[in-house]
Amino acid sequence: MSTAYDLVIVGGGPAGLSAAAAAREAGLESILILERDKELGGILNQCIHNGFGLHTFKEELTGPEYAGRYIDKVLELGIEYKLDTMVMDIAPDKTVTAMNRTDGMFQIKANAVILAMGCRERPRGALNIPGYRPAGIYSAGTAQRLVNIEGYMPGHEVVILGSGDIGLIMARRMTFEGAKVKVVAEIMPYSGGLKRNIVQCLDDYGIPLKLSHTVVNIEGKERVEAVTIAEVDEHMKPIPGTEERYTCDTLLLSTGLIPENELSKSAGVELSRVTNGPVVNEALETNIPGVFACGNVLHVHDLVDYVSEEAKKAGENAAAYVLGGCKDDRSGKEVKVIAKDGVRYTVPVTIDPERMDDLQVVRFRVGAVYKNASVAVYLDDERIQKRKKRIMAPGEMEQIILKKDQLLAKEGLKSITVCIEQD
């Protein structure tokens, strides 16, 4: 089977669905979504808690409800999709190789591709925790699926390592189901999750959060019996004498998310060493003309509303690329966006002032907790923005907005710098 489509979207989660709908509404007819799961919606299907959609729909929805809005839209627009379909390869010429039980192995020639594969949890093997390898150790996302979709309880006495949003939400979820969550340990001196999740998922249920702590030992051969945590110093090394032992039958790991970019890499897409996601310009286009990226495969978001907003732009730009004759209209006048002095990265990494929209959102994360500091923006050496923030933390995404006319007015512009300035 060999077919041709104007646009192939890899991933049927919130990013892929939003991008598909936007591309169709922008005038693109021939669109195909490839999703490896048995249903559309992605990770939202197992996120049964509320708090989604406040920005997009101005109301509070659960994950499945939020996904359902976009699934309904895709169905109404008559966009094609294939489920239970694994994409095996994306060639630099945008030939997509995929397989499923119905069609076997097949290839699709695409005029444009949108990467929307989402992210995966950081594996436990990367953590180097001493001890045995007994049953009862799960990633927080796996535990979430077991409880919310499969209907299984992973355990009843729980310790959580890492304070990412999924771990915080699972602390509350396990408590709801009758488990005792004894402690959440976080190796960093700050939480990796949203402030509201710390309050609503830990503080409201009396679950302690121990910052600058990590697991140093796991006991149990057949099943987890206990874990020991200890405080760490500024070099992340355990401090002798600070050990605390907790009996438990379950250890949940919420130690970060990694954009799912093996396919991107094989296609020749340039990846950021900071985000592990593609390097993109203001159109969310990668270094390969006609290949776009959005959502958590690009950089890990804290709100799905921002994923949908970003993906909408990717869909519109992919449609413009195809309807414009698949021409690479990059002018060579791209201006580098530089992240420095506390800003870890920016998305996008380059901006063409002539090609950009009237307003350009630049999203970024900081590398530490900053209190009463300012986000500053410089065009070369001229500061054009300075906005004071009461608090900024790595767990919360930040953004600035650039104006097209301001960038065009700066002759010979070479760089845009986003940085943190202490007042």
Side-chain angles (χ1 to χ4, degrees):
M1 173 181 171
S2 182
T3 325
Y5 282 85
D6 281 336
L7 175 62
V8 170
I9 298 172
V10 185
L17 295 170
S18 175
R24 172 57 57 86
E25 289 173 340
L28 213 55
E29 290 297 322
S30 176
I31 302 170
L32 177 66
I33 301 170
L34 299 176
E35 169 55 49
R36 67 183 177 187
D37 210 343
K38 60 185 178 182
E39 54 200 1
L40 296 172
I43 199 70
L44 289 182
N45 291 323
Q46 69 185 50
C47 300
I48 64 173
H49 53 281
N50 60 5
F52 300 92
L54 289 169
H55 294 268
T56 307
F57 299 111
K58 310 303 180 193
E59 59 181 306
E60 221 176 13
L61 303 171
T62 64
E65 287 173 327
Y66 186 97
R69 298 276 177 101
Y70 279 96
I71 293 169
D72 289 345
K73 197 171 187 181
V74 162
L75 296 177
E76 286 167 15
L77 293 169
I79 296 169
E80 287 184 64
Y81 60 90
K82 286 182 180 290
L83 302 176
D84 286 315
T85 301
M86 180 67 73
V87 175
M88 311 301 292
D89 183 62
I90 302 170
D93 69 350
K94 298 185 283 292
T95 298
V96 179
T97 303
M99 66 181 298
N100 60 36
R101 289 183 177 182
T102 305
D103 305 309
M105 185 87 77
F106 59 95
Q107 286 190 320
I108 299 166
K109 185 69 182 77
N111 288 323
V113 172
I114 293 179
L115 306 171
M117 294 88 74
C119 58
R120 67 176 187 271
E121 292 180 280
R122 195 178 299 278
R124 181 205 171 187
L127 304 176
N128 297 321
I129 302 171
Y132 291 102
R133 301 295 182 261
I137 302 174
Y138 303 88
S139 70
T142 299
Q144 186 180 58
R145 183 176 182 88
L146 287 172
V147 175
N148 293 348
I149 293 183
E150 309 294 343
Y152 295 116
M153 269 297 281
H156 300 283
E157 289 189 299
V158 185
V159 170
I160 299 176
L161 174 60
S163 61
D165 287 313
I166 305 174
L168 298 176
I169 287 162
M170 281 310 294
R172 178 178 64 182
R173 187 75 181 96
M174 295 291 281
T175 301
F176 283 169
E177 292 298 330
K180 172 66 176 173
V181 179
K182 295 194 168 182
V183 68
V184 176
E186 168 58 59
I187 195 169
M188 301 301 288
Y190 50 80
S191 170
L194 294 168
K195 177 66 177 174
R196 75 182 191 202
N197 283 336
I198 297 170
V199 173
Q200 295 172 5
C201 301
L202 300 187
D203 296 352
D204 287 356
Y205 299 94
I207 300 169
L209 170 62
K210 289 186 176 273
L211 301 175
S212 299
H213 280 72
T214 192
V215 173
V216 295
N217 191 40
I218 299 171
E219 297 175 38
K221 290 188 178 180
E222 299 300 320
R223 175 88 192 191
V224 174
E225 295 173 4
V227 301
T228 301
I229 70 171
E231 191 175 349
V232 298
D233 59 23
E234 65 273 17
H235 304 296
M236 306 297 169
K237 300 293 184 187
I239 301 171
T242 63
E243 295 85 0
E244 297 175 63
R245 182 177 179 273
Y246 293 86
T247 57
C248 62
D249 59 14
T250 305
L251 174 63
L252 299 188
L253 305 175
S254 179
T255 52
L257 300 167
I258 307 170
E260 188 83 74
N261 271 301
E262 282 69 27
L263 285 172
S264 312
K265 205 180 296 182
S266 68
V269 170
E270 181 187 355
L271 300 182
S272 163
R273 285 182 290 180
V274 179
T275 64
N276 292 312
V279 172
V280 295
N281 62 17
E282 79 288 341
L284 300 177
E285 190 176 22
T286 69
N287 58 302
I288 301 177
V291 176
F292 300 80
C294 58
N296 283 349
V297 80
L298 178 55
H299 58 136
V300 177
H301 292 62
D302 45 12
L303 297 180
V304 72
D305 303 76
Y306 295 155
V307 167
S308 302
E309 181 186 314
E310 188 178 86
K312 180 176 183 287
K313 185 172 181 180
E316 291 168 348
N317 290 330
Y321 172 82
V322 173
L323 296 172
C326 300
K327 295 175 185 173
D328 183 9
D329 61 350
R330 283 178 274 205
S331 62
K333 298 178 182 177
E334 290 84 8
V335 177
K336 182 84 171 169
V337 183
I338 299 169
K340 63 183 287 190
D341 296 339
V343 177
R344 293 188 64 236
Y345 70 86
T346 65
V347 172
V349 172
T350 61
I351 292 174
D352 184 336
E354 292 180 5
R355 200 172 75 155
M356 68 183 276
D357 295 334
D358 290 338
L359 297 176
Q360 174 69 49
V361 175
V362 177
R363 294 204 165 100
F364 64 92
R365 286 185 190 267
V366 295
V369 176
Y370 291 92
K371 294 182 179 179
N372 297 315
S374 297
V375 178
V377 181
Y378 288 81
L379 301 185
D380 293 335
D381 296 327
E382 178 192 353
R383 188 170 70 193
I384 60 163
Q385 285 187 38
K386 185 177 181 182
R387 182 166 49 95
K388 190 163 185 177
K389 298 272 293 182
R390 191 178 65 82
I391 189 163
M392 289 179 280
E396 310 241 0
M397 191 176 287
E398 303 289 342
Q399 69 177 40
I400 52 126
I401 297 176
L402 299 175
K403 297 179 180 177
K404 182 187 183 89
D405 56 4
Q406 208 166 15
L407 270 61
L408 288 174
K410 182 77 173 176
E411 289 187 24
L413 178 62
K414 291 184 173 58
S415 67
I416 302 164
T417 301
V418 185
C419 60
I420 305 300
E421 292 183 346
Q422 298 281 9
D423 296 327

